Amino acid sequence: MLTQQLESYLESFSEFEKLATGHDLPWLWRLRQDAFARFCEVGFPTTHDEDWRFTNVSAIAQTAFRLTRNGRARLSQQELEPYRITGVACQLVFVNGHFARELSSLGNLPDGVRVSSLAEEISSNTGAIEPHFGRYLDIRRDAFCALNTAFVEDGAYVHIPRVTPVEEPICLLFVSTGDDAPSMSHPRNLIVAEEDSQATFVEDYVSLDGGGVFCNTVTELVAGDHTVLSHYMIEREHKQAFNISTLRIQHGRGANVVSHSVLLGGALVRNNVHPVLAGEGGECLINGLFIGNGHQHLDNYMLVEHASPRCGSRQFYNGILDGHAHGVFHGRIIVHKDAQKTDAKQTNRNLLLSDDAQIDTKPQLEIYADDVKCTHGATIGQIEGDALFYLRSRGIDEVSARKLLLFAFASECLDRMKQGPVRRHVEGLINRCLFQMADSVPDVPTGNGRENTGRNWEEIG
């Protein structure tokens, strides 16, 4: 079976490497070759792999996806208008993994800030790419990261010079379009923010039409010393789409990085967030919300590595699941031997709105230092019956009462986002999603449980 699965990828890779951007660069050629060799060695992960024990990717492994190289669909500005975020500095559009300049808006950026296509930078500015590209990502840990690196060609490149604040968000819109045959794309983003810079980045994943699409993305975010950065990952593809994404963050000394994830769509979604606090005094907030219904499978894997002293991290993830949806939260904190004075906390809270919804949650700590403060925990419950009764006794109809309670639960994640255009955009998406979900929530038993979530970590304004 493994041989059959790999045959189509071997054929695609053989054709791809001959014509891919940068095929004549020795360092990039070796990187692709090593990555594909690793993918062939291990194949797709199975539920026997500890990091994938709750997620079966056989639907991806057994589908013969076609690489959508040079296969950009003809889209108009009007078709993308519903997916625009107002008030951003710029918006780069990628269709099936390829940069679409005619659909993008580069806007007005501060002097020295460079936002462009990765393929263009590989061709014309390889000296800036090589020192960082692939340096932080460990392709041996994850076959999907190896697969992305093997087929790397295009995506976004962002460079922010030292002591440069970018006030408005930089938005990257990834559009997948359906086709007669199942198609795949492997966007790769490289974001380098030099010391004392500030910026907000948004990755927004949408799909048009139907059909089987597989988007496998990797983002390497390099946060220089004392940077203040925010990263948003919004996934709202159709219910036949597969989305695997990895955000690898390298923290410099005193860097403060926030990661927000909002998963609303997709048939099978895996969201990997892997920050390494490599510089002393770094801070990291990982904040997420996943909402699923039908037969969606939404998997969140967080790996936080504390590698230096006096760093702090917080993980807050909330899940709302209805129908036969299956959610996963696997939060893993590793405190290395030299990371004394670490302060880390991890919390996962989940609401199940139907008897068939399922959540697997696994908070995990691995501590190799002796002077740390670390906690973790998880809760699973239903809509609180007493709260629902209270609202209905005040004349609020049942659907509206359920919607208010669901939105209050989701707002715990929204409240950690900085006020601005991205938060307003996310709030609108969540509001529409919960409005549809509230009507189908069954009656729930009464109860008066309360949980103290402790200190409220918010994005630095």
Side-chain angles (χ1 to χ4, degrees), residues 54-55 271 286 288 290 298-303 315-319 326-333 345-350 358-364 376-378:
F54 303 119
T55 298
N271 172 38
I286 303 178
F290 53 102
L298 307 176
D299 183 349
N300 302 274
Y301 181 82
M302 313 292 112
L303 173 58
Q315 298 177 56
F316 298 105
Y317 259 72
N318 283 17
H326 184 186
V328 178
F329 174 82
H330 187 170
R332 185 180 175 193
I333 298 174
K345 181 177 180 178
Q346 180 186 92
T347 303
N348 172 227
R349 304 182 66 213
N350 304 282
Q358 178 182 347
I359 180 70
D360 288 299
T361 180
K362 185 184 178 184
Q364 184 178 354
H376 64 154

Side-chain angles (χ1 to χ4, degrees), residues 387-399:
L388 183 62
F389 176 79
Y390 176 85
L391 292 174
R392 295 191 67 189
S393 70
R394 265 52 181 179
I396 300 175
D397 66 88
E398 185 173 355
V399 171

Side-chain angles (χ1 to χ4, degrees), residues 205-224:
Y205 294 85
V206 304
S207 54
L208 306 180
D209 308 317
V213 293
F214 168 37
C215 182
N216 176 34
T217 308
V218 169
T219 298
E220 291 179 287
L221 173 57
V222 184

Side-chain angles (χ1 to χ4, degrees), residues 221-236:
L221 173 57
V222 184
D225 295 347
H226 308 292
T227 53
V228 178
L229 306 175
S230 300
H231 179 277
Y232 290 76
M233 191 276 189
I234 305 170
E235 193 281 326
R236 45 179 172 147

Side-chain angles (χ1 to χ4, degrees), residues 154-173:
D154 207 355
Y157 172 73
V158 180
H159 178 259
I160 302 177
R162 61 186 302 274
V163 200
T164 301
V166 182
E167 301 295 338
E168 291 80 23
I170 296 171
C171 183
L172 313 175
L173 178 63

